[in-house]
Amino acid sequence: MGQKPRQLQPALSAGHLFGARLRQRRADAGLSQQKLGRLVHISGDLIGKIEKGERRANRDLARRCDSALGCAGALLQLWDRVEAEERGVRSPTGAIERETVLSCLPALRRVLDAYDLPDDGPAPTSDEVRRGVGRLVAMRLSSQYVGLAQELPETLQSYLRAYHSAVGQSRAELARHLTQAFRAADAIADKFGMYDLSARIIGMIGQVAAESGDEPTIAAAAYVRAEVFFANQDWQVGRRMLEQAAAYLPSGDGPMAASYGALQMRAAVLAARAGRPDQAGEHIAEATAAAAARTAEGVYAGTAFGPDSVRIHHVTLAVDAGDPAEALRLAAGWVPPLHVPPERRSHFFVDLADAQVRCGRHEEALTTLQTARRVAPQHVRYHPQVQATVRTLVQQATVSSALGELSRWTGVASGIRA
């Protein structure tokens, strides 16, 4: 029986940008939420809600915060801009998303810089870390990058406190959870094209995963490391790295088989990008066997794997091999079930739209992209394959109101860098 789909966060509003900038300015000033609240005569809890975008500041409060933080009018000017954006005067949501993420990165970088120098704040329990990391994993698999960017600086810092204060098996267990927290941070860096930051985080993932001593966690670190080779287009080296990581895994069912299959599945994509369909076929056959014989569809060590995920990758491999007709044949009459995480499901629709455009089925491609957008909007908006497909549609198809709206939403028509 399929699982119920995860509940997603509310749609991003322009108020999130003001909240993120307020948090950045407050952190730069070295003030707690409670201290700033006292300075502007409201509660620290309300400051926290404004920073998360859960409550809206009025103009007078924006002015008081600006004065208390010594922002020389910058916060007040931002509030005026946000107000205009919420009324639809200017700046599409994509710009708001990007700027909100970018405004959170300085705080995240500071946490990463001091990853081995935890401060003296309170440390959460192991159970609290486990539950919190579970939430981060769910957000990553739902492509909620803005929410991750807003939550990670504070939560990651608290998890590092717990990790560095633990010993023995407790420390190894926290290392396993911390691997997934770092992975959530890497998802933001990778999605927004900050490949140097991504590579740095991936190095941390490898170190912490090794300390966990957990084979699926170590395999997950190798799976994430492949992003470096995708970014550098060094596909064969990345494929060999994944092949070696898979060879080191002991045989087994469940999580172990899922780790093996996920590595093989990603190695197949790298082989296809390298123009080696023979190797791609061998890797995807290994993944198919692991999924069919030993693994139900699910999330294992932070990675979706199972028969449905493998089927999605079969479509991807056909697209990468330049055979859109085969991709359409493989996809015919099937859609990923809801228990597959949104990011993985959206990949299917992104590849399907690519194949449809190549076969001249423009209206179907537009409908497919709209479906992908509903499934995982923050993933689809910035996906380079989506950008290319929308550009082709604009050039080759009749520009309907729906296509025009999609091109503006992705930034293709307005020139917003995605």
Side-chain angles (χ1 to χ4, degrees):
M1 183 179 296
Q3 300 173 359
K4 293 182 179 179
R6 294 184 180 93
Q7 184 177 0
L8 301 184
Q9 289 184 325
L12 182 71
S13 71
H16 285 80
L17 175 56
F18 179 83
R21 188 64 55 80
L22 176 62
R23 174 185 290 184
Q24 179 188 354
R25 293 284 192 168
R26 176 182 59 77
D28 289 345
L31 297 179
S32 67
Q33 292 174 346
Q34 289 71 24
K35 176 65 173 177
L36 177 58
R38 286 194 293 271
L39 290 174
V40 298
H41 310 297
I42 64 172
S43 71
D45 288 343
L46 182 53
I47 291 290
K49 290 179 180 179
I50 292 171
E51 290 182 348
K52 292 178 181 179
E54 296 173 357
R55 291 286 296 274
R56 185 183 182 86
N58 58 33
R59 196 173 193 278
D60 180 61
L61 178 56
R63 178 188 58 76
R64 283 182 278 144
C65 288
D66 188 285
S67 176
L69 295 171
C71 296
L75 267 181
L76 187 58
Q77 290 172 11
L78 177 61
W79 189 93
D80 288 336
R81 175 188 161 194
V82 164
E83 180 71 11
E85 288 168 358
E86 293 234 322
R87 293 177 179 175
V89 174
R90 53 180 293 206
S91 187
T93 308
I96 299 171
E97 285 180 349
R98 177 174 291 279
E99 191 165 349
T100 301
V101 170
L102 294 179
S103 71
C104 295
L105 284 183
L108 179 59
R109 288 180 185 273
R110 284 194 292 270
V111 173
L112 296 174
D113 289 342
Y115 77 96
D116 58 342
L117 300 167
D119 60 24
D120 294 328
T125 66
S126 181
D127 281 345
E128 288 172 337
V129 174
R130 175 181 55 79
R131 290 194 297 269
V133 167
R135 170 177 164 75
L136 295 179
V137 171
M139 291 173 70
R140 175 176 60 80
L141 293 174
S142 298
S143 302
Q144 296 179 25
Y145 304 117
V146 174
L148 283 173
Q150 292 175 316
E151 289 197 19
L152 271 169
E154 184 176 341
T155 57
L156 185 56
Q157 188 173 59
S158 70
Y159 297 163
L160 284 166
R161 289 188 208 114
Y163 169 69
H164 286 294
S165 64
V167 295
Q169 185 58 39
S170 177
R171 183 179 172 94
E173 180 70 11
L174 284 166
R176 184 170 65 85
H177 297 316
L178 191 57
T179 298
Q180 296 301 330
F182 278 135
R183 189 172 177 183
D186 170 64
I188 301 168
D190 180 68
K191 175 54 60 177
F192 287 85
M194 301 165 201
Y195 299 122
D196 287 346
L197 177 60
S198 174
R200 176 187 175 193
I201 297 171
I202 287 171
M204 300 170 115
I205 290 173
Q207 294 174 12
V208 176
E211 186 168 355
S212 77
D214 179 65
E215 295 290 353
T217 298
I218 295 169
Y223 183 94
V224 178
R225 185 184 173 192
E227 291 173 4
V228 174
F229 302 101
F230 277 111
N232 295 336
Q233 299 186 7
D234 205 354
W235 297 306
Q236 277 289 37
V237 175
R239 184 198 67 79
R240 292 200 305 271
M241 181 275 296
L242 291 172
E243 189 175 51
Q244 291 176 8
Y248 285 130
L249 279 171
S251 60
D253 296 334
M256 207 66 70
S259 296
Y260 176 83
L263 293 172
Q264 294 286 356
M265 193 169 66
R266 183 158 258 198
V269 177
L270 284 160
R273 298 278 178 91
R276 293 297 304 270
D278 54 333
Q279 293 178 342
E282 292 171 0
H283 288 301
I284 200 66
E286 288 290 312
T288 301
R294 295 172 289 178
T295 313
E297 187 70 39
V299 176
Y300 302 88
T303 302
F305 182 76
D308 298 312
S309 288
V310 172
R311 185 166 183 173
I312 291 169
H313 276 70
H314 274 288
V315 176
T316 299
L317 294 177
V319 171
D320 286 346
D323 192 350
E326 174 64 6
L328 294 180
R329 185 190 69 79
L330 291 168
W334 184 78
V335 294
L338 291 177
H339 60 253
V340 177
E343 183 182 48
R344 178 61 53 78
R345 278 190 286 134
S346 72
H347 270 294
F348 171 81
F349 295 111
V350 168
D351 286 327
L352 177 58
D354 187 322
Q356 289 167 334
V357 162
R358 295 192 200 186
C359 292
R361 294 159 65 166
H362 295 148
E363 291 186 7
E364 293 178 26
L366 175 58
T367 300
T368 300
L369 286 177
Q370 290 170 327
T371 300
R373 174 180 174 178
R374 289 192 295 271
V375 170
Q378 290 182 41
H379 177 240
V380 170
R381 185 198 290 276
Y382 306 103
H383 200 300
Q385 193 171 337
V386 173
Q387 301 284 310
T389 301
V390 172
R391 287 191 185 96
T392 301
L393 285 172
V394 170
Q395 293 167 1
Q396 297 182 0
T398 301
V399 180
S400 62
S401 60
L403 178 55
E405 192 278 331
L406 183 65
S407 68
R408 289 188 295 273
W409 181 78
T410 56
V412 169
S414 59
I416 296 172
R417 183 178 179 273

